[in-house]
Amino acid sequence: MRLLNDYEVYIFDCDGVILNSNKLKIDAMKNVLLAHSFSSQQVEKCLDYFRNNFGKSRFHHVDFFLKNILNVSPSRKNELEKDILQDFSMQCRELYLSAELTDGFISFITACNGKRYVASGSEQGELRDVFSQRGLSKYFSEIFGSPRPKIEIVRHILELEKTTNAVMFGDAESDMFSARENNIDFIFYSPLSNVREAMVEKCTAYGYQIIDDFSKVRI
């Protein structure tokens, strides 16, 4: 792995890396599903999948819930999917405005000399609005999100910059997979991860750096 200042491009996941928002988003999804009168048992199964597949888009998750867990009829699916996504989006906008930044993130990102991007599973327009309102947009060349899959977002960023001299910071398997499939380095930010133990095991096997504080990144 290169030293920090040797990279040309730095790519960051949002939830659990930039913002301490993982638990907030899980709670928001729980509230939305319960409000649509699904049983507690069904909702817990949805949340278990949501928690273990963080980093994938909400469009993927809600589609999976309705097809595989909630067993909604095809005639109801489209309208219900639209309503759940709309309700979840409203809650996410509010929580993103109040979610704390992860410890040391601003100091760290200002020390990164190359281009800086966000590649998130969160909805792109929503994320851009919130980052603008919070004064975070200035730290990034661009902010990308769903519905485009993260692996494609990372590929797009590398094509824009015409380089693979890049590193991705993430807290979920989808982040690691996106970096690995695009042949760039990966650093696992562990303290807020929903799947910390599994990620530590995989990152150790692949030789990826694991950090619990941005001040501990090797420079």
Side-chain angles (χ1 to χ4, degrees):
M1 179 171 285
R2 298 176 174 89
L3 296 178
L4 174 65
N5 285 328
D6 289 340
Y7 291 106
E8 296 176 35
V9 177
Y10 304 83
I11 305 172
F12 299 87
D13 177 42
C14 177
D15 297 306
V17 176
I18 300 174
L19 297 177
N20 184 354
S21 49
N22 284 354
K23 185 179 185 304
L24 295 174
K25 290 187 76 172
I26 292 169
D27 290 344
M29 183 62 78
K30 179 178 182 178
N31 293 337
V32 169
L33 293 175
L34 288 174
H36 283 275
S37 300
F38 295 110
S39 71
S40 297
Q41 292 84 356
Q42 288 176 310
V43 170
E44 285 306 315
K45 288 181 180 179
C46 291
L47 295 180
D48 186 59
Y49 182 84
F50 189 44
R51 190 178 294 111
N52 285 287
N53 291 275
F54 235 61
K56 294 185 178 181
S57 77
R58 67 189 60 175
F59 304 95
H60 163 83
H61 282 111
V62 174
D63 180 68
F64 185 91
F65 298 162
L66 295 174
K67 286 181 177 178
N68 299 283
I69 299 175
L70 304 175
N71 298 317
V72 173
S73 66
S75 61
R76 292 185 60 217
K77 180 180 178 296
N78 288 344
E79 183 177 355
L80 191 54
E81 184 172 26
K82 180 180 177 181
D83 289 344
I84 291 172
L85 287 169
Q86 181 175 315
D87 293 347
F88 184 65
S89 178
M90 290 177 62
Q91 291 209 28
C92 283
R93 284 180 181 273
E94 293 182 10
L95 69 86
Y96 273 144
L97 290 172
S98 61
E100 295 180 353
L101 287 163
T102 52
D103 292 341
F105 180 76
I106 297 301
S107 296
F108 172 74
I109 197 171
T110 54
C112 299
N113 292 326
K115 296 289 188 69
R116 298 163 294 198
Y117 289 88
V118 174
S120 175
S122 297
E123 199 277 325
Q124 181 169 284
E126 173 186 297
L127 206 57
R128 288 177 173 177
D129 287 346
V130 170
F131 270 52
S132 177
Q133 290 183 59
R134 294 192 60 163
L136 297 172
S137 299
K138 64 185 178 183
Y139 296 107
F140 302 98
S141 297
E142 189 56 272
I143 297 161
F144 294 114
S146 61
R148 184 188 299 187
K150 192 171 295 184
I151 188 171
E152 293 182 15
I153 294 174
V154 173
R155 184 180 301 122
H156 177 62
I157 292 169
L158 300 178
E159 289 172 351
L160 284 175
E161 297 296 339
K162 297 179 173 59
T163 186
T164 56
N165 181 10
V167 60
M168 171 120 194
F169 293 83
D171 70 327
E173 187 173 2
S174 62
D175 304 318
M176 183 183 68
F177 178 75
S178 297
R180 192 168 181 80
E181 288 298 302
N182 283 288
N183 298 309
I184 65 173
D185 286 338
F186 176 73
I187 295 177
F188 172 48
Y189 182 70
S190 67
L192 304 174
S193 175
N194 295 320
V195 287
R196 186 179 186 279
E197 290 184 6
M199 284 295 294
V200 166
E201 183 177 345
K202 290 175 182 178
C203 289
T204 300
Y206 289 130
Y208 291 136
Q209 187 176 353
I210 300 169
I211 60 170
D212 58 13
D213 188 315
F214 277 108
S215 68
K216 296 180 181 177
V217 180
R218 292 195 299 265
I219 59 174

